[in-house]
Amino acid sequence: SGINAEYREFQTFQHYFKQINLRTMLRRISSPAVSIGRAAVSTSAVPRTKYGGKTTVTLIPGDGVGPELAESVTTIFKEMAVPVEFEKIELNREQMKDEGSFDYAIKSLKRNGVGLKGVINRSADFRHHNLEFRGGLDVYANVVRCMSFEGIQTHHTGIDLIAIRENTEGEYSSLEHESVSGVVESLKIITQEKSMRIAKFAFDYAREHNRKKVTCIHKANIMKLSDGLFKACCKEVSEDYPMIEYEEQIVDNTCQQLVINPQQFDVMVMPNLYGNLVSNLAAGLVGGAGVVPSKSYGENIAVFEPGARHTWMEMKGMYVANPAAMVLSSAFMLKHLQLHEAGDLLIKAVNNVLNKRSCLTIDLGGNASTHDMTKAILSEVEHLA
């Protein structure tokens, strides 16, 4: 029968992977930094590199409008007299061809333990350098906060959700090849170790930030083994957090629910690709890429960058990009560095500028330049201080 044929095919498939020792292969691909039972990374770790009362932070402006957004941050930090010294590394699509430049950036981030980063475009040889950064640094947990602003007119109000994305495997494992002409195979890697790690991170994050619910986003109805493993890991971890509500949702339903009723979500945890889709969709619900910050954590490192990763190459050099996402990311970086007063002040200043609607860039329906909005944020900082 057809069922028996499918079962025999599965047995053949299973035998083949036993022969090539799948577990060994996955261990080599994954090279996890921490064991399953180890405590999740603290999101408020103290940085390691500090000289003369200032903390050194790696700054990588990236491609497109990235340098303009980085300029906004450095201008604000200088005016606020924030005790941060930027180690600026000019690294973009073209310079990434130089392996020495990439290696130096990785060493700088590892040495300093904290980075502020723009987006780097994929190069002509199809290498995706943002993925290489995440893999090289093992910054496995990407945290994107999407929240409504009173001054930004959107279909929904009252949104405040956290999308936590496993950052190092899944469909983004970069393991694909053309087996024969016209046939491409792409491996989706899901491991128990990394699934347990990101699940524990999500629940720890929810507990530390007084969140009430964690939703596991998956497609286990189709990808029964890979997403089934991810879902099972989240379920297992949830049992250690009885104070936090746990639910599961299929990713296509999640996209629909985000459009219909996004207020139902609190903390969401998901594999890599779904995290990319969900965080960009959620960003669109609250005003777009210009207002959504993010942060990525590894065992000994934290990297802060805009939550919706777009370079906006066509507007490069025109100083019309919205700096809010980059500035908010830098504010969360200050809080990570234990500079809570400065971080909270900067967050409130950005919120005031957006909510007053007196100085908005073109993405939010205004005509202010990047410089104008930077000045408006500084004016709010001075007023609030």
Side-chain angles (χ1 to χ4, degrees), residues 218-355:
H218 65 91
K219 190 63 178 173
N221 59 321
I222 301 298
M223 285 169 277
K224 300 183 187 303
L225 294 179
S226 56
D227 281 24
L229 174 60
F230 185 88
K231 185 177 72 154
C233 289
C234 290
K235 175 64 174 176
E236 181 178 338
V237 171
S238 73
E239 294 172 0
D240 293 330
Y241 298 81
M243 74 296 294
I244 298 173
E245 180 185 351
Y246 173 71
E247 66 177 13
E248 299 166 352
Q249 200 169 94
I250 295 173
V251 64
D252 36 344
N253 182 37
T254 299
C255 293
Q256 183 186 56
Q257 292 299 317
L258 279 168
V259 174
I260 296 172
N261 179 25
Q263 296 86 353
Q264 69 182 280
F265 295 106
D266 194 353
V267 173
M268 311 163 76
V269 60
M270 61 212 87
N272 211 333
L273 175 62
Y274 310 152
N276 190 14
L277 301 176
V278 167
S279 60
N280 276 271
L281 172 54
L285 295 174
V286 298
V291 297
V292 176
S294 83
K295 43 200 174 182
S296 294
Y297 294 102
E299 187 173 11
N300 295 302
I301 195 166
V303 178
F304 299 81
E305 61 186 328
R309 296 159 180 166
H310 305 288
T311 56
W312 211 10
M313 291 292 291
E314 62 271 25
M315 293 298 178
K316 177 181 178 180
M318 298 179 66
Y319 284 89
V320 295
N322 185 347
M326 191 69 157
V327 175
L328 286 171
S329 297
S330 72
F332 287 122
M333 182 189 76
L334 291 177
K335 292 173 70 66
H336 174 79
L337 297 173
Q338 307 301 309
L339 299 170
H340 294 287
E341 185 177 352
D344 289 335
L345 177 62
L346 191 49
I347 290 170
K348 192 169 184 179
V350 173
N351 288 348
N352 285 355
V353 170
L354 293 175
N355 291 334

Side-chain angles (χ1 to χ4, degrees), residues 34-45 138-144 162-167 193-209 211 213-214 230 233-234 237-238 240-241 244 267-270 294-304 336:
V34 298
S35 64
I36 294 173
R38 193 165 176 176
V41 173
S42 170
T43 57
S44 58
D138 196 34
V139 282
Y140 66 87
N142 178 238
V143 181
V144 178
I162 304 291
I164 296 179
R165 165 188 181 184
E166 204 295 318
N167 226 9
E193 192 133 18
K194 292 194 173 184
S195 297
M196 293 290 283
R197 181 171 70 166
I198 194 64
K200 180 164 176 51
F201 179 95
F203 278 93
D204 281 344
Y205 188 96
R207 182 175 59 186
E208 291 171 11
H209 294 82
R211 296 283 179 156
K213 181 172 70 172
V214 172
F230 185 88
C233 289
C234 290
V237 171
S238 73
D240 293 330
Y241 298 81
I244 298 173
V267 173
M268 311 163 76
V269 60
M270 61 212 87
S294 83
K295 43 200 174 182
S296 294
Y297 294 102
E299 187 173 11
N300 295 302
I301 195 166
V303 178
F304 299 81
H336 174 79

Side-chain angles (χ1 to χ4, degrees), residues 12-276:
T12 303
F13 175 83
Q14 190 177 47
H15 176 69
Y16 169 72
F17 274 100
K18 283 181 179 179
Q19 285 182 319
I20 65 171
N21 197 350
L22 180 60
R23 289 183 180 275
T24 301
M25 182 183 76
L26 289 179
R27 279 198 295 269
R28 289 174 180 170
I29 292 169
S30 305
S31 59
V34 298
S35 64
I36 294 173
R38 193 165 176 176
V41 173
S42 170
T43 57
S44 58
V46 177
R48 294 172 294 173
T49 308
K50 195 167 186 176
Y51 302 106
K54 290 188 176 183
T55 299
T56 304
V57 170
T58 302
L59 174 63
I60 303 174
D63 278 304
V65 298
E68 298 157 40
L69 304 181
E71 181 183 329
S72 177
V73 171
T74 55
T75 299
I76 290 170
F77 276 31
K78 183 178 179 180
E79 292 297 319
M80 290 179 65
V82 174
V84 167
E85 188 77 33
F86 284 113
E87 181 183 358
K88 187 177 180 181
I89 299 177
E90 297 291 352
L91 199 63
N92 53 43
R93 170 178 172 166
E94 295 302 317
Q95 290 165 317
M96 284 294 285
K97 295 176 182 178
D98 179 5
E99 292 292 340
S101 299
F102 175 75
D103 290 342
Y104 180 78
I106 291 290
K107 288 177 182 177
S108 171
L109 285 163
K110 287 182 176 179
R111 179 176 64 251
N112 295 327
V114 182
L116 182 65
K117 175 183 167 294
V119 181
I120 301 172
N121 260 0
R122 187 177 67 180
S123 61
D125 61 0
F126 297 103
R127 290 173 59 194
H128 202 305
H129 305 299
N130 296 292
L131 296 183
E132 292 180 16
F133 265 111
R134 295 169 214 156
L137 296 167
D138 196 34
V139 282
Y140 66 87
N142 178 238
V143 181
V144 178
R145 183 176 184 182
C146 297
M147 60 180 294
S148 299
F149 294 90
E150 293 178 7
I152 299 178
Q153 297 176 358
T154 57
H155 184 71
H156 293 285
T157 59
I159 300 172
D160 186 7
L161 65 87
I162 304 291
I164 296 179
R165 165 188 181 184
E166 204 295 318
N167 226 9
T168 61
E169 56 178 15
E171 291 86 352
Y172 287 18
S173 300
S174 298
L175 295 170
E176 55 181 11
H177 63 278
E178 187 173 23
S179 53
V180 296
S181 180
V183 179
V184 174
E185 295 178 327
S186 180
L187 288 176
K188 171 176 178 172
I189 306 298
I190 298 289
T191 62
Q192 181 185 26
E193 192 133 18
K194 292 194 173 184
S195 297
M196 293 290 283
R197 181 171 70 166
I198 194 64
K200 180 164 176 51
F201 179 95
F203 278 93
D204 281 344
Y205 188 96
R207 182 175 59 186
E208 291 171 11
H209 294 82
N210 297 315
R211 296 283 179 156
K212 306 302 181 185
K213 181 172 70 172
V214 172
T215 305
C216 168
I217 311 301
H218 65 91
K219 190 63 178 173
N221 59 321
I222 301 298
M223 285 169 277
K224 300 183 187 303
L225 294 179
S226 56
D227 281 24
L229 174 60
F230 185 88
K231 185 177 72 154
C233 289
C234 290
K235 175 64 174 176
E236 181 178 338
V237 171
S238 73
E239 294 172 0
D240 293 330
Y241 298 81
M243 74 296 294
I244 298 173
E245 180 185 351
Y246 173 71
E247 66 177 13
E248 299 166 352
Q249 200 169 94
I250 295 173
V251 64
D252 36 344
N253 182 37
T254 299
C255 293
Q256 183 186 56
Q257 292 299 317
L258 279 168
V259 174
I260 296 172
N261 179 25
Q263 296 86 353
Q264 69 182 280
F265 295 106
D266 194 353
V267 173
M268 311 163 76
V269 60
M270 61 212 87
N272 211 333
L273 175 62
Y274 310 152
N276 190 14

